[in-house]
Amino acid sequence: MTTTQSTLFTEIDNLIKRLKPETISAERKTVLQPLIDFIQLKVSNKEAIRINFICTHNSRRSHLSQVWAQTMAHYFNIKNVFCYSGGTEATALFPMAAKTLENSGFTIKTLSEGKNPVYSIKYADNAHPIIGFSKTLDDDFNPKSEFAAIMTCSQADGGCPFIAGAEKRIPITFEDPKAFDNTPQQAEKYNERSLQIATELFYVFSQVNL
């Protein structure tokens, strides 16, 4: 178990303290274990930890996963963690996904407008911002080798049996909140998915022994 040394924004820190990792099922923990093993091996070998979260459109689940993973690495004081996201195609970071993160305490600044806006996403005053925009998994913004590819949706998992350059390919899929777009439950369902991802990534990083 790692020790926390958190300098996160207060709202995010408080949200993390309210998460309930004890509610994660044994079956789901089995799904998460390969990612824990990957991070642990890198920590033990004092190597950089690169994680690329992959979904079909790189618009919702992969971004939520990227942001929460980077945040949890900071929360648990695990160094040299570099989180990325990509899709089998590029679309745009969906506004509701960005809004959900903002509602959780992240500071979000729009760096460029257009069909595929670029966002700066900050979780702590002194942390480098996460640059959020939709891109393909092999985009130059992403690592070319020595990374774990985390398949966050079943469509990408089925459609990409091989990820070039990945040391590990790990399916950890989440239900798509897109199903609730333009419904009264939209904000609630996006928040629900974000909290699930946060809880599971809290568990993953909490299992890493420094």
Side-chain angles (χ1 to χ4, degrees):
M1 175 71 77
T2 59
T3 55
T4 63
Q5 185 181 326
S6 177
T7 53
L8 295 171
F9 292 142
T10 303
E11 195 174 344
I12 300 173
D13 193 65
N14 289 339
L15 183 152
I16 290 173
K17 286 180 168 67
R18 293 194 302 271
L19 296 175
K20 296 182 170 61
E22 67 276 7
T23 62
I24 301 171
S25 70
E27 292 82 4
R28 191 64 178 173
K29 286 180 179 178
T30 302
V31 170
L32 299 170
Q33 190 61 45
L35 178 54
I36 297 169
D37 295 341
F38 175 82
I39 297 169
Q40 184 65 66
L41 181 64
K42 294 292 183 181
V43 167
S44 300
N45 292 339
K46 296 182 168 59
E47 295 174 345
I49 303 155
R50 299 181 188 89
I51 308 171
N52 195 358
F53 294 91
I54 295 166
C55 200
T56 307
H57 299 115
N58 189 210
S59 59
R60 296 168 176 82
R61 291 164 286 181
S62 47
H63 277 111
L64 293 172
S65 299
Q66 174 190 4
V67 170
W68 277 118
Q70 197 70 62
T71 303
M72 293 306 175
H74 183 93
Y75 184 80
F76 286 105
N77 201 30
I78 300 173
K79 306 294 187 186
N80 296 317
V81 177
F82 305 96
C83 297
Y84 306 84
S85 66
T88 53
E89 59 184 277
T91 55
L93 198 170
F94 192 66
M96 192 67 212
K99 185 67 179 170
T100 300
L101 290 169
E102 193 170 45
N103 290 343
S104 298
F106 293 88
T107 298
I108 298 185
K109 182 179 178 182
T110 305
L111 301 180
S112 76
E113 305 280 357
K115 289 185 177 178
N116 187 4
V118 179
Y119 299 92
S120 159
I121 304 166
K122 288 199 76 169
Y123 51 86
D125 278 327
N126 294 334
H128 194 281
I130 297 161
I131 305 302
F133 67 100
S134 186
K135 69 204 85 66
T136 56
L137 58 95
D138 58 354
D139 188 275
D140 285 343
F141 208 78
N142 287 338
K144 300 301 179 191
S145 63
E146 300 176 340
F147 67 93
I150 311 301
M151 316 308 289
T152 64
C153 77
S154 53
Q155 192 176 346
D157 184 35
C160 299
F162 172 76
I163 304 291
E167 280 182 35
K168 282 264 188 184
R169 181 191 173 285
I170 305 168
I172 303 176
T173 61
F174 301 98
E175 292 295 320
D176 195 352
K178 181 182 179 179
F180 296 92
D181 286 357
N182 303 311
T183 72
Q185 299 109 310
Q186 185 183 33
E188 175 195 345
K189 292 298 182 180
Y190 272 77
N191 187 55
E192 188 179 288
R193 190 60 58 241
S194 180
L195 288 176
Q196 180 202 353
I197 291 169
T199 302
E200 294 190 357
L201 289 169
F202 176 96
Y203 170 76
V204 165
F205 283 93
S206 75
Q207 298 303 300
V208 177
N209 190 343
L210 295 178

